[in-house]
Amino acid sequence: MRYSRILVPTIKEVPADAEIISHQLLLRAGMMRKIASGTYTYLILGWRSLLKIIAIIREEMNATGAQEIMMPSLQPMELWQQTGRNIDYGETMCHLTDRHGRENVLGPTAEEVMTFLVAGEISSYKQLPINLYQISPKFRDEFRPRFGPIRSREFIMKDAYSFHSSPESLEETYRAMYDAYCRIFTRCGLEYVIVEAEVGEMGGSGSHQFTIPCESGEDTIVYAEDGSYAANLERANVDPLSRNDGQGVKGVPPVEEVHTPHIGSIEAVCDFLKTKPAQMIKTLIYSKDGKTIAALIRGDHEANEEKLKIAAGGGKLELADEITIEKATHAKIGFAGPVGLAERVDKMIIDHAAATMAVGITGANKTDYHIKNVVPGRDFPLNGDNIIVADIRNACEGDTYNGRKLLFKKGIEVGQVFKLGTKYSEKLGAKYLDENNSEKSCLMGCYGIGVNRILASAIELNNDKDGIIWPINIAPFEVIVTCTNQDDEEVAQAAENIYSILLKNNIDALLDDRILRAGAKFKDADLIGIPIRITVGKKSVAEGNVEIKLRRESESVKVKIEDALVRVTELINKLRS
């Protein structure tokens, strides 16, 4: 392509609403433009990179035997109602009603549609296993779209769904997808880590997440300092803390009620009573399937709702409304506590760290009151028919797992693989007849990749003060031929000849044939990040040379014009290795 003929509207200024480097550079390099909050148009360079990412994904997926199809983005709400995920996704789903009054959604994912398809087409174990995938736009009405492609309302996702007649078959495909993902992200030039992940609203029995470590990431990776364990924050396990009774239960005076007027938050209570959050017991009230659940955590910890959901037996879990809280605690919001609460809720789940506290301060289940000198096991039970002690909090600094210190770093999730089991197939009728002519539900797996997030992650990992430094396999072009004297016929013809030779040898090249000063062309070349630059100038052409420079390096080398193709080919092969 010729630079003079394509739309690459680079800008010098950093856009005010672009918070992270990848968002800034995608806009500055003219690769995308914002249409509305969380929605973008990808221009020539951005789309070329996305197409290369898609080509890598497609090649690796096809190599595993997966089959590509295309499903509709417009999906009937009734499919989502059959699985109950309309409630799980809630306001994140983009709803619309057609002229006949039928409710539809713009698909945030496609488990329901794919399972509906297979339910109508698969009837025998002889047709299994099968793995179908698509690469298509998805829609999620994010409350706060941010970071450009990393959290947008419309994005491109590769989503695959496999169907099986045995756990062994599911495990085989799961491993094939896991390995394919490793190849995909490596070919895209990404350094990634693989962590155990929580299944969330997807459901199922197991999951791994592929994460790109970087400070701008929204996910938190938790890992053991010796490398023996890694998980995302929603999944990370922690060792129970040891109980430190200090002077022992006998030395702790009876509970004491303290008047705390209009003071309900942990921070406010600590300030009022001159204590610390670690000495507080926080009681959260949840609703699940019409039942009331109390969750107890230490005041300086955060509840992990995925862990809590598992401890509660699965299903939809949400913070209770004010009426439910007042009915359970006999107090306004902010004054709940565990003393006497077990008899008034369906289940009380106590985090390990709260259960091992020697003594604490907590709500009194009485508006405007707290109580001191609360001893777990003495003043509220740690066992019983409706009482569970479990890990229900987020890991934090100082925690260990299997005796090993846990460390934390930020990352961007770019892919995830799930073992779904029969969650969807049972509800949507994806069944088959086995060897004995017995009807069974298909076992399922699903496997997603955020295509746009690969684009952003590559930039987060590969940039400098001058712009993007693209990995060769996903760069919009492999080589840019920069003619510094376009108005000189001999120089322009030399640049044209080199450009033509590159194209004839299947090298993806961009010819900068604009009538601009050399400095401006070099700045644009650095900003858009093409991996290799060939500079064709008046002086060098007179000497029979061109200058070749890697985007990652500061110095260029002179090469004879007739040797340029060989040298560029060597560099491309080196960058790909």
Side-chain angles (χ1 to χ4, degrees), residues 479 481 498-507 509 534 565 568:
V479 179
V481 180
I498 292 170
Y499 171 64
S500 297
I501 290 170
L502 294 175
L503 294 185
K504 287 178 182 177
N505 285 272
N506 297 315
I507 293 173
I534 302 176
L565 174 62
V568 166

Side-chain angles (χ1 to χ4, degrees), residues 232-258:
N232 63 12
L233 187 62
E234 289 74 24
R235 180 69 179 83
N237 298 315
V238 297
D239 290 330
L241 301 179
S242 300
R243 182 156 185 162
N244 181 11
D245 285 326
Q247 57 185 323
V249 173
K250 291 182 180 179
V252 180
V255 295
E256 177 185 344
E257 197 173 85
V258 181

Side-chain angles (χ1 to χ4, degrees), residues 116-349:
F116 176 79
L117 169 71
V118 169
E121 304 299 331
I122 299 295
S123 58
S124 169
Y125 74 95
K126 295 179 181 179
Q127 297 170 278
L128 300 174
I130 189 170
N131 188 8
L132 304 173
Y133 79 96
Q134 66 170 348
I135 302 172
S136 67
K138 304 294 187 294
F139 305 85
R140 295 179 187 174
D141 193 5
E142 298 285 355
F143 178 75
R144 188 189 174 198
R146 60 200 299 248
F147 297 166
I150 291 177
R151 186 160 297 281
S152 54
R153 292 193 298 170
E154 180 179 350
F155 55 96
I156 303 169
M157 184 166 76
K158 188 286 300 178
D159 46 324
Y161 308 88
S162 63
F163 297 80
H164 308 269
S165 59
S166 70
E168 294 78 14
S169 175
L170 171 57
E171 179 62 35
E172 184 179 354
T173 297
Y174 186 88
R175 179 52 56 180
M177 290 294 96
Y178 183 106
D179 293 342
Y181 277 30
C182 293
R183 294 191 297 272
I184 288 166
F185 299 129
T186 297
R187 289 180 62 186
C188 289
L190 301 181
E191 297 178 6
Y192 60 90
V193 296
I194 304 169
V195 300
E196 293 181 15
E198 195 49 72
V199 296
E201 65 266 328
M202 298 295 292
S205 61
S207 177
H208 286 86
Q209 179 177 302
F210 293 76
T211 305
I212 310 304
C214 67
E215 285 305 310
S216 58
E218 293 187 300
D219 281 44
T220 300
I221 303 167
V222 182
Y223 61 102
E225 60 181 342
D226 65 353
S228 62
Y229 175 75
N232 63 12
L233 187 62
E234 289 74 24
R235 180 69 179 83
N237 298 315
V238 297
D239 290 330
L241 301 179
S242 300
R243 182 156 185 162
N244 181 11
D245 285 326
Q247 57 185 323
V249 173
K250 291 182 180 179
V252 180
V255 295
E256 177 185 344
E257 197 173 85
V258 181
H259 190 214
T260 51
H262 310 296
I263 300 171
S265 70
I266 292 290
E267 294 76 13
V269 173
C270 287
D271 186 59
F272 185 79
L273 297 179
K274 308 304 179 188
T275 189
K276 298 178 180 178
Q279 296 171 312
M280 298 286 297
I281 300 172
K282 183 162 50 177
T283 303
L284 303 169
I285 307 298
Y286 288 85
S287 293
K288 175 183 176 292
D289 301 327
K291 297 185 181 300
T292 303
I293 295 173
L296 275 57
I297 59 173
R298 213 169 70 182
D300 60 332
H301 290 158
E302 293 184 18
N304 184 312
E305 293 192 356
E306 293 298 331
K307 291 182 181 180
L308 179 59
K309 187 187 300 182
I310 293 171
K316 179 68 175 177
L317 184 77
E318 58 186 359
L319 284 168
D321 57 28
E322 187 173 354
I323 294 174
T324 302
I325 293 172
E326 290 185 12
K327 181 179 179 181
T329 67
H330 300 172
K332 295 289 186 182
I333 293 174
F335 299 95
V339 179
L341 188 60
E343 296 80 12
R344 300 200 295 267
V345 297
D346 296 290
K347 191 172 289 185
M348 189 156 79
I349 304 176

